Amino acid sequence: MLDGCKLKSACSLPFIYNKKINTAGTSNADVPLADPGMYQLDITLRRGQSLAARDRGGTSDPYVKFKIGRKEVFRSKIIHKNLNPVWEEKACILVDHLREPLYIKVFDYDFGLQDDFMGSAFLDLTQLELNRPTDVTLTLKDPHYPDHDLGVILLLVVLTPKEGESRDVTQSLRLSDQHRKSQLWRGIVSITLIEGRDLKAMDSNGLSDPYVKFRLGHQKYKSKIMPKTLNPQWREQFDFHLYEERGGIIDITAWDKDAGKRDDFIGRCQVDLSALSREQTHKLELQLEEGEGHLVLLVTLTASATVSISDLSANPLEDQKEREEILKRYSPLRIFHNLKDVGFLQVKVIRAESLMAADVTGKSDPFCVVELNNDRLLTHTVYKNLNPEWNKVFTFNIKDIHSVLEVTVYDEDRDRSADFLGKVAIPLLSIQNGEQRAYVLKNKQLTGPTKGVIYLEIDVIFNAVKASLRTLIPKEQKYIEEENRLSKQLLLRNFIRMKRCVMVLVNAAYYVNSCFDWDSPPRSLAAFVLFLFVVWNFELYMIPLALLLLLTWNYFLIISGKDNRQRDTVVEDMLEDEEDEDDKDDKDSEKKGFINKIYAIQEVCVSVQNILDEVASFGERIKNTFNWTVPFLSWLAIVALCVFTIILYFIPLRYIVLLWGINKFTKKLRSPYAIDNNELLDFLSRVPSDVQVVQYQELKPDPSHSPYKRKKNNLG
C-alpha cells in the first residue's frame, strides 16, 4: 500500500488504510446514508472451503484481498498448498461513507509469476445490523465463468457506529494489540547465499548470468548478478524478520539476467522454516524445481531482537531495573557476547506541529514511519489534525552504530497511496541522549525544508568495542530502496563530484611540479631538503605515522576554533537543482522525448551514473575521514594507524607480508563459507560522502514553522 512511497512493510497493516465503506444495516434505518459520522468495521477472516485448484499438484497457495473503491485495504497471509485454508485473521477498518460494497478477492500465490485469480465476491454492508456480530458465507465466482464452483469464504463481521469527534480521540489514545502484533517480529532469519551448482544454461554461449530472488511474506531480497557462469559464488548474507511463531516459507527463484529483454527463469525452490531448529546454523543444498542445478544456503533462526512499541507511560529506560540490564548488556565486559548486538536505540515520537495540509479540507491524517536500516515500525494515525500527538516509544537493536534513523511523516489517504509530508534522517552517532528536540521536516531528497517540525527524544546505548569491530565488516544492505532512474541532473552532479576529487590530485601534481620548476625558490629549497631527509631516513612505518599526524593536526584545528571545513554550498545547490528537476518532471511527465530517445541505452547510462557516484563518494569519504566529519570514525582511524605504526616499526616487513599471505591462502581452508570483505573499504563505507553530509544536516527551526527558499549562491 505504501509502494508509491517506496515503503513495503514486512506484514500487512490493514488498520492504516481506512477506505470508503458502505455501512448500514437491516435495522439501522435511523442512520441516513449521508451520515458524516464514522463506522468501525471489524472483520475476522476465518477460513475458506473447497477453493479452486490452480497449481499442478492439484492444490493452491491462497490469500485474500479486501478492496473498497478499487483500493486494497487488507491482504491476508498466504496459506501454502491448501484448498481449505484457515486464516483467523482480524482487520479493523474505519469508514465514513456508505455507498460502496466490500469486495473480497482470492488469489493463488505464484512467486516470480503473476498470481492466479481464484474467485471474488462482495459484501453489501447496508444489510448488516449495527453492533451485532454476523457470520457471513460468501460464494466465490469468476465473472468470466459464472457457472464454475470456486468454493466459499467464511467471515465474521461487526459494524459499529462511531461519533465523528471521538474518531480522533480513539485513534490517538493507544495502539491496539493488533497494531503492535502485526509490526513486531518474533525472530530473525539469517541467510547466507553461498553458491549455485550446475545451473541451467540460458544464453547462446552455453552460460548464464544468474541472480537469485528471495521472498518471505512481503520481505524481498535480490542477490548480485554473477556474469557468465553456471557455478556462481555469491557469498552474500542478509536477514529477514520472522513474524509467525510457526515459521514460514521462503520462496526462492533463480533468474538469468538479459539486457534489453525479459530475464529468463532458471528454477525455483522453497525453505520451510518450521522444519528448522532454532539457534543453529543449517547448511541446505536445494534442488531447483522446473529447472536444473542446486543452490547452497546457510540458514540460522535466532530469537527476537529487542524491538517494541509502547506508550510514554511504559518507557523502558525510565524503569531503573530495565535500564541497568540494558547498560549491563552493552558494558565493556561483554565485548565478545553476540557481536551482532551492538547497542540499543529508543525513539520517542512525541508530536508534530504545523504540518502540511494534504486534504481538501485543509487538514491531514498524519502517521509516522520509523526506520532503522531494514527495521520499520509505524505509529497510529491521528485524523484531521495538523498538530498531531502520538506519544509513542519505539525500541530497536542496533547492528551498526553508523546507521541512520529515518522518521517519515505521511498523510493517510483513503483514495490513493499515502501522501508524503516530511522526513528527517538522523545519524545515530550525532544523537544527544535524553534531549527532546524539534526537527525541521525535509523534502524527499533531504535537501531542503518542507512545512512542519517533529518532536523526538532519542537515546542510544552501545558498546564502543563491538561498534568498532562491526565497522570492519560489510555494511547491511537496505532491501527496499528506490529504483535507480536516469537523471541528467544526477549524472551531471556525479560527474562534477568526481571531477572535484580528481582535481585535488591534479592540483597536488601541479604543486609538486612547481617545486621541481623552482617557481618559488624558498618553497622549492624547503621541499628539496625535506625530500633528501625523508628518502634517506624512510621507513615503512612513516606512512601511517604521516596519516596519523594529519588527523591529529586537523583535530587540533577543530578544537582550537580554526575549523577548515567549509559548508559545501556547491553540493547543496546541485541537490536543489536536482529537486527542481524532479518537480518539473512531475509536472511535465508527458514531455519525455529525451528519455525515449535514449531508452535503449538507459541501463548503460544508469551504470555510468552510479560508477561516477561511487568514485566521487570514495574520494569524499577519504577526505571526510581526515576532516573529522564523524569523530568516532576518526578516533578509530587514529587507533588503527597507531597500531599499524607500531607493528611496522617493530616487525620487519617480510614477516608482515608472510603472515598476510598465509592468512589469505588459508582463509578458505579455515572457513569455507567465509564472506570476502575488505576492512578498509568497509570502514570507508561508514564515512558519509559530501552528499550524505548535506542530507544529514539538521535544519534550524523557523519560528513560524514555514518553509523558506534558500537563495542559491552565484558561482561566478
Side-chain angles (χ1 to χ4, degrees):
M1 296 302 299
L2 286 172
D3 289 351
C5 307
K6 294 297 178 187
L7 290 170
K8 298 179 183 177
S9 176
C11 59
S12 64
L13 301 172
F15 43 83
I16 293 177
Y17 313 108
N18 303 324
K19 312 297 178 186
K20 298 180 181 177
I21 296 185
N22 204 11
T23 316
T26 57
S27 62
N28 59 355
D30 57 324
V31 182
L33 290 180
D35 185 3
M38 294 299 302
Y39 296 85
Q40 179 173 312
L41 181 64
D42 294 295
I43 306 174
T44 302
L45 173 61
R46 289 190 160 175
R47 63 185 184 274
Q49 293 180 351
S50 304
L51 300 185
R54 291 289 187 255
D55 295 338
R56 296 179 182 178
T59 63
S60 293
D61 304 315
Y63 67 92
V64 180
K65 291 181 181 180
F66 294 163
K67 288 189 173 184
I68 297 174
R70 297 182 297 177
K71 198 68 177 178
E72 183 179 318
V73 295
F74 172 78
R75 178 184 294 205
S76 74
K77 63 185 178 183
I78 301 166
I79 304 295
H80 292 273
K81 294 181 172 54
N82 201 324
L83 299 181
N84 297 283
V86 176
W87 283 285
E88 293 297 337
E89 291 189 55
K90 296 181 179 180
C92 178
I93 304 170
L94 295 180
V95 296
D96 56 3
H97 289 285
L98 311 174
R99 299 185 182 90
E100 298 183 32
L102 174 70
Y103 281 90
I104 295 91
K105 293 186 177 183
V106 184
F107 293 88
D108 168 53
Y109 171 70
D110 286 323
F111 181 59
L113 303 172
Q114 184 174 357
D115 295 345
D116 298 320
F117 178 68
M118 297 178 63
S120 64
F122 75 91
L123 177 62
D124 185 359
L125 301 179
T126 62
Q127 302 303 313
L128 297 176
E129 291 189 34
L130 297 179
N131 301 310
R132 179 177 177 179
T134 304
D135 288 307
V136 178
T137 301
L138 299 174
T139 301
L140 297 175
K141 293 294 182 182
D142 187 339
H144 299 290
Y145 305 98
D147 297 333
H148 289 189
D149 182 11
L150 301 179
V152 297
I153 292 290
L154 281 68
L155 309 174
L156 176 64
V157 182
V158 183
L159 186 63
T160 308
K162 300 178 72 66
E163 294 296 331
E165 293 300 323
S166 66
R167 173 188 184 183
D168 298 343
V169 178
T170 304
Q171 286 296 320
S172 56
L173 282 179
R174 179 178 292 272
L175 288 170
S176 67
D177 291 338
Q178 179 190 1
H179 190 163
R180 286 195 184 89
K181 186 177 179 181
S182 63
Q183 295 190 69
L184 302 181
W185 45 94
R186 296 176 171 84
I188 301 293
V189 184
S190 180
I191 302 171
T192 303
L193 173 61
I194 301 297
E195 62 185 2
R197 298 175 182 170
D198 303 321
L199 301 184
K200 186 176 181 180
M202 307 301 295
D203 297 337
S204 58
N205 59 5
L207 299 172
S208 294
D209 304 312
Y211 66 92
V212 182
K213 292 181 179 179
F214 295 81
R215 179 168 177 172
L216 177 60
H218 293 279
Q219 303 172 91
K220 299 178 183 178
Y221 179 81
K222 178 181 175 182
S223 76
K224 60 186 177 185
I225 300 169
M226 305 300 292
K228 295 181 175 56
T229 179
L230 299 181
N231 298 280
Q233 299 286 321
W234 281 288
R235 300 293 199 275
E236 294 185 45
Q237 192 276 331
F238 59 95
D239 295 336
F240 278 156
H241 295 151
L242 188 62
Y243 290 85
E244 301 180 26
E245 293 181 358
R246 297 188 300 275
I249 302 291
I250 300 178
D251 292 297
I252 306 170
T253 54
W255 299 83
D256 168 56
K257 179 66 177 177
D258 286 327
K261 59 181 181 178
R262 186 173 182 179
D263 296 347
D264 297 322
F265 177 73
I266 295 179
R268 73 171 74 237
C269 56
Q270 290 184 332
V271 176
D272 185 357
L273 297 178
S274 63
L276 303 180
S277 57
R278 296 184 178 242
E279 309 300 336
Q280 181 180 347
T281 299
H282 304 268
K283 180 183 178 182
L284 306 178
E285 297 185 13
L286 304 174
Q287 171 73 42
L288 290 176
E289 301 174 3
E290 305 176 30
E292 300 174 5
H294 296 77
L295 294 179
V296 181
L297 311 176
L298 298 180
V299 181
T300 307
L301 277 66
T302 57
S304 175
T306 308
V307 179
S308 67
I309 309 174
S310 60
D311 297 293
L312 286 180
S313 57
N315 182 352
L317 290 181
E318 289 184 359
D319 185 332
Q320 188 61 30
K321 183 177 179 181
E322 190 167 352
R323 184 182 182 89
E324 289 177 357
E325 290 180 357
I326 293 172
L327 291 172
K328 181 180 178 182
R329 187 190 314 159
Y330 302 109
S331 69
L333 300 178
R334 296 173 65 93
I335 296 174
F336 300 106
H337 182 268
N338 190 5
L339 289 176
K340 288 187 176 182
D341 187 11
V342 170
F344 174 85
L345 172 67
Q346 176 178 282
V347 184
K348 294 181 184 178
V349 182
I350 300 170
R351 68 184 188 278
E353 292 180 355
S354 304
L355 295 179
M356 186 189 306
D359 299 335
V360 294
T361 59
K363 298 288 186 179
S364 291
D365 304 322
F367 67 95
C368 276
V369 178
V370 184
E371 298 177 83
L372 184 68
N373 291 333
N374 292 302
D375 298 342
R376 181 179 296 103
L377 298 174
L378 299 90
T379 68
H380 59 290
T381 302
V382 179
Y383 293 94
K384 299 187 184 305
N385 203 322
L386 299 181
N387 301 285
E389 292 191 11
W390 292 287
N391 292 322
K392 298 300 170 188
V393 180
F394 300 87
T395 63
F396 299 89
N397 264 89
I398 299 174
K399 293 181 281 187
D400 189 345
I401 195 60
H402 310 288
S403 301
V404 177
L405 174 69
E406 296 182 357
V407 181
T408 311
V409 183
Y410 291 97
D411 166 63
E412 179 187 318
D413 202 316
R414 294 184 294 274
D415 300 320
R416 55 184 183 274
S417 298
D419 295 324
F420 176 86
L421 296 181
K423 180 179 183 178
V424 292
I426 310 167
L428 297 186
L429 286 172
S430 69
I431 291 171
Q432 300 293 325
N433 282 354
E435 180 180 333
Q436 184 180 139
R437 303 184 65 173
Y439 292 89
V440 177
L441 293 174
K442 297 184 178 183
N443 53 31
K444 287 183 181 180
Q445 292 77 26
L446 297 171
T447 56
T450 186
K451 198 171 190 301
V453 296
I454 186 167
Y455 289 84
L456 306 173
E457 183 179 326
I458 312 174
D459 289 272
V460 176
I461 298 173
F462 68 98
N463 184 299
V465 178
K466 285 185 181 180
S468 301
L469 295 175
R470 291 284 293 175
T471 304
L472 303 178
I473 67 174
K475 189 176 181 180
E476 181 181 7
Q477 294 182 356
K478 209 168 183 182
Y479 308 148
I480 303 165
E481 292 184 322
E482 292 190 13
E483 291 291 333
N484 290 323
R485 62 185 181 89
L486 184 61
S487 166
K488 292 179 289 183
Q489 192 66 29
L490 182 59
L491 189 64
L492 177 62
R493 186 192 82 186
N494 290 339
F495 176 77
I496 294 174
R497 290 170 59 208
M498 189 184 74
K499 180 181 176 182
R500 293 170 64 198
C501 294
V502 172
M503 288 306 297
V504 172
L505 300 178
V506 172
N507 291 334
Y510 279 135
Y511 184 84
V512 173
N513 192 58
S514 70
C515 292
F516 293 154
D517 293 339
W518 291 81
D519 293 339
S520 173
R523 184 180 64 191
S524 296
L525 179 61
F528 180 62
V529 172
L530 180 64
F531 171 76
L532 293 176
F533 176 80
V534 170
V535 172
W536 183 259
N537 297 282
F538 178 77
E539 296 290 345
L540 195 59
Y541 71 86
M542 294 181 181
I543 296 177
L545 180 60
L547 298 176
L548 180 61
L549 293 175
L550 179 59
L551 271 169
T552 306
W553 174 255
N554 282 337
Y555 176 72
F556 282 113
L557 285 179
I558 292 171
I559 63 174
S560 64
K562 300 177 181 178
D563 190 354
N564 60 352
R565 299 175 297 177
Q566 297 179 352
R567 186 171 181 176
D568 202 335
T569 56
V570 176
V571 173
E572 291 182 4
D573 288 338
M574 286 191 294
L575 288 171
E576 276 200 350
D577 291 339
E578 183 184 337
E579 178 191 351
D580 294 340
E581 186 195 58
D582 290 339
D583 294 340
K584 183 178 180 181
D585 289 343
D586 293 337
K587 295 177 182 178
D588 303 324
S589 58
E590 69 279 1
K591 298 179 181 179
K592 296 182 179 178
F594 176 77
I595 299 299
N596 291 333
K597 290 178 183 178
I598 63 171
Y599 180 77
I601 59 170
Q602 179 171 348
E603 187 172 350
V604 176
C605 292
V606 170
S607 299
V608 172
Q609 174 178 285
N610 292 339
I611 290 172
L612 291 174
D613 176 58
E614 290 178 7
V615 173
S617 296
F618 182 79
E620 292 166 355
R621 292 176 197 278
I622 295 175
K623 178 197 70 175
N624 290 337
T625 300
F626 288 93
N627 278 352
W628 291 82
T629 301
V630 182
F632 180 90
L633 290 171
S634 296
W635 279 116
L636 185 59
I638 282 182
V639 172
L641 289 172
C642 287
V643 172
F644 294 154
T645 302
I646 294 171
I647 290 175
L648 291 173
Y649 182 79
F650 287 103
I651 302 177
L653 180 61
R654 62 176 61 86
Y655 295 145
I656 297 175
V657 174
L658 184 63
L659 290 174
W660 175 84
I662 292 173
N663 174 66
K664 283 294 183 181
F665 277 106
T666 62
K667 187 174 183 180
K668 293 298 181 184
L669 298 176
R670 291 181 282 110
S671 182
Y673 304 115
I675 298 174
D676 295 329
N677 70 295
N678 184 299
E679 288 80 4
L680 179 60
L681 295 181
D682 293 334
F683 171 85
L684 289 175
S685 69
R686 268 60 174 210
V687 182
S689 64
D690 287 352
V691 171
Q692 291 173 320
V693 169
V694 173
Q695 290 176 336
Y696 300 157
Q697 280 178 352
E698 183 179 344
L699 300 178
K700 294 182 179 180
D702 187 64
S704 61
H705 302 314
S706 61
Y708 61 94
K709 183 66 177 178
R710 182 166 51 81
K711 295 182 180 179
K712 300 180 181 179
N713 293 327
N714 185 6
L715 302 176

